[in-house]
Amino acid sequence: MKHSLKTLLFALALALAPQAAAQGPGAGARGEGASAERRAEADPRVVVTLCLSQGDVLVRGWDRREVSARAVGAGTLRLLTPNVTPAPRVEVLASDEADAEPGAGDCGSVERVELMTPRGATVNIQSHNGHVEVSDVAELRVKSLSGDVNARRVSQSVEVSCLSGDVSVADSSGPVRVATISGHVEARNVRTLSAADNFEAKSTSGDVTLEGVGHGQVVGSAVSGSVLYTGALARGGSYDFRTISGDVTLELPANSSFNLHARVVVSGEINTDFPVRLPPGGTTAVPATPGAPTPAATPGPAPEAGPLVVVVTPENGRPKQIKVKPPKEVREPPTSARLDGTVGGGGAVVNLSSFSGSLHLKKR
C-alpha cells in the first residue's frame, strides 16, 4: 500500500512539472521583481522611441555606440530596429505580459524602464502615467499625461508637454519649450547654441521659476501662478513675462539696462528698485526707492462722439439731414497701473503683465 501511494505521488509530480515550469516568473502577469534586458548596436545619433501606458522611465547617456534597455516588472521586452547595423532607430517595446507580442507604436505597462543611449541620441518618450527622468542626451521630446519630467544636461534641444506634473530643466543647451497644465515649471542654467534659439515656459496652474536662462528670446507665463526670473538680460534680448492671477518678479543685476513696459490690469502694484526714465511727455516719475509703488495711471473718460449726420435724398429730390447715434465704442478694461520707460541705457525689451497681481523689479 505504501509503495502504491509513493508511486501515485511521483506520477502526479511528473504530470504537474511542465505546467509549473510554464507558469514560472514572468509568465502571464509579471512576476514580483522580474526584469528583462536587451541590447542593440546603435548609431551615435540614434533616434530612440518609447511609449508606456504605465511605468517610470529613466534614461542616461553614455559613450558606447549601443542602446541598452532594462525593464523591471516586464514579461516582454523588445528592441525594434531596421535591418541596418548600427541601427539609426531603436523602438523600445515593453509589456508586463510574457506572451505579449507588442508591435511598432504600442504602449506597454511595466514598473520601470531603464535606458542607456549614446550621448548624441534623440529620445522621444510618451508616458501616460509615470515619472520621466532623462540626462546626457542630445535632444529630448516628452509627452506626458501624468507624472513629473526631469531633464538634465540635454545638449541640443528640449521639448516637454505635460498634462499633470512638474517639469524641470537644468544644465541644458539649445531651444527649450516646456509646458504643463497642472504643475510647476523650473529651469536653471540653460544656454543657447545659436542666436535663433528661444526659450518658452508655460504653466496653467502652477508657478514658473527661471534662473540663469541665457537665451535672448524668453517667454514665461502662468494662468494661476507666479513667474520668477533671476539672472542677467541678454543685450538686445526680448523678455515677455505674464500671469493672470499671480505676481511677476524679476531679480536682475544692479547694472541692468532695458526698455520696460509694465502693466497691471485690474489690481496690483508695480514696484521697482531701478530708476525708470520716462519718455518725453511722460507724467509719472517712478522713485528708485526699493518697494515704492508706482502711482496708479488711470485713464480719463474718452470724449463722447457726437451724432453722425447723414444726408439722404428722397424721391421728391429735396435733401434731408438725419442724425444717427453712433454705436458704443468697445474699449479695453481700464489699466490699474502702467509704466513705460528706460532703465540704464536701454537695449533689451522687457514686457511685464498681470491681470490681478503685482510686478516687482528687484536688484540682486
Side-chain angles (χ1 to χ4, degrees):
M1 182 69 180
K2 292 182 179 180
H3 179 74
S4 300
L5 180 60
K6 289 181 179 180
T7 303
L8 179 62
L9 292 175
F10 182 73
L12 182 62
L14 289 177
L16 294 177
Q19 184 178 358
Q23 293 181 349
R30 67 185 176 219
E32 186 70 27
S35 64
E37 296 186 16
R38 297 289 185 272
R39 295 173 179 267
E41 185 180 353
D43 186 270
R45 297 185 178 183
V46 62
V47 177
V48 179
T49 304
L50 169 65
C51 181
L52 283 184
S53 59
Q54 177 73 37
D56 298 334
V57 180
L58 178 63
V59 182
R60 295 285 184 269
W62 62 358
D63 294 328
R64 299 182 187 178
R65 296 189 175 188
E66 182 182 71
V67 171
S68 174
R70 178 175 181 265
V72 179
T76 302
L77 176 62
R78 296 180 60 197
L79 298 184
L80 190 62
T81 64
N83 191 22
V84 178
T85 303
R89 300 184 306 277
V90 175
E91 183 173 2
V92 182
L93 301 169
S95 173
D96 58 0
E97 301 293 333
D99 55 354
E101 296 182 2
D106 288 349
C107 298
S109 176
V110 295
E111 293 179 16
R112 184 176 68 257
V113 172
E114 301 172 358
L115 297 177
M116 300 296 294
T117 73
R119 296 182 187 274
T122 295
V123 178
N124 301 314
I125 297 173
Q126 291 188 43
S127 173
H128 297 177
N129 187 10
H131 302 306
V132 177
E133 185 175 335
V134 181
S135 63
D136 299 304
V137 300
E139 299 185 36
L140 175 63
R141 301 182 185 92
V142 178
K143 292 183 179 180
S144 173
L145 294 183
S146 178
D148 299 337
V149 178
N150 185 350
R152 293 180 297 161
R153 297 186 298 276
V154 180
S155 61
Q156 294 183 17
S157 70
V158 177
E159 185 171 346
V160 177
S161 175
C162 188
L163 182 63
S164 176
D166 298 335
V167 179
S168 174
V169 180
D171 304 319
S172 299
S173 305
V176 175
R177 187 174 182 178
V178 296
T180 179
I181 300 298
S182 178
H184 304 297
V185 175
E186 290 188 1
R188 303 182 188 278
N189 190 27
V190 292
R191 303 166 299 279
T192 61
L193 294 177
S194 70
D197 292 345
N198 56 14
F199 180 98
E200 183 176 324
K202 295 182 178 181
S203 175
T204 299
S205 177
D207 298 333
V208 175
T209 303
L210 312 178
E211 182 178 353
V213 176
H215 296 65
Q217 307 286 327
V218 180
V219 174
S221 65
V223 175
S224 177
S226 297
V227 177
L228 170 63
Y229 177 89
T230 303
L233 302 176
R235 180 182 295 273
S238 175
Y239 299 83
D240 192 344
F241 303 115
R242 60 185 62 198
T243 179
I244 299 298
S245 176
D247 295 345
V248 177
T249 303
L250 270 64
E251 297 180 354
L252 308 174
N255 61 349
S256 298
S257 295
F258 53 94
N259 297 311
L260 175 66
H261 304 283
R263 178 181 179 225
V264 174
V265 178
V266 174
S267 62
E269 298 176 337
I270 302 176
N271 300 282
T272 175
D273 293 352
F274 296 88
V276 180
R277 185 172 67 258
L278 300 177
T283 57
T284 304
V286 180
T289 305
T294 63
T298 305
E304 185 175 351
L308 177 65
V309 178
V310 179
V311 179
V312 298
T313 304
E315 292 181 359
N316 59 13
R318 299 185 61 182
K320 183 180 179 180
Q321 290 185 350
I322 299 177
K323 293 182 179 180
V324 182
K325 189 175 182 180
K328 293 183 179 180
E329 182 182 1
V330 179
R331 303 182 59 190
E332 294 182 357
T335 301
S336 173
R338 182 168 190 133
L339 176 62
D340 297 283
T342 303
V343 173
V349 176
V350 176
N351 297 299
L352 308 179
S353 175
S354 178
F355 189 81
S356 177
S358 296
L359 311 178
H360 306 274
L361 289 163
K362 299 180 179 181
K363 291 182 179 179
R364 294 183 62 188

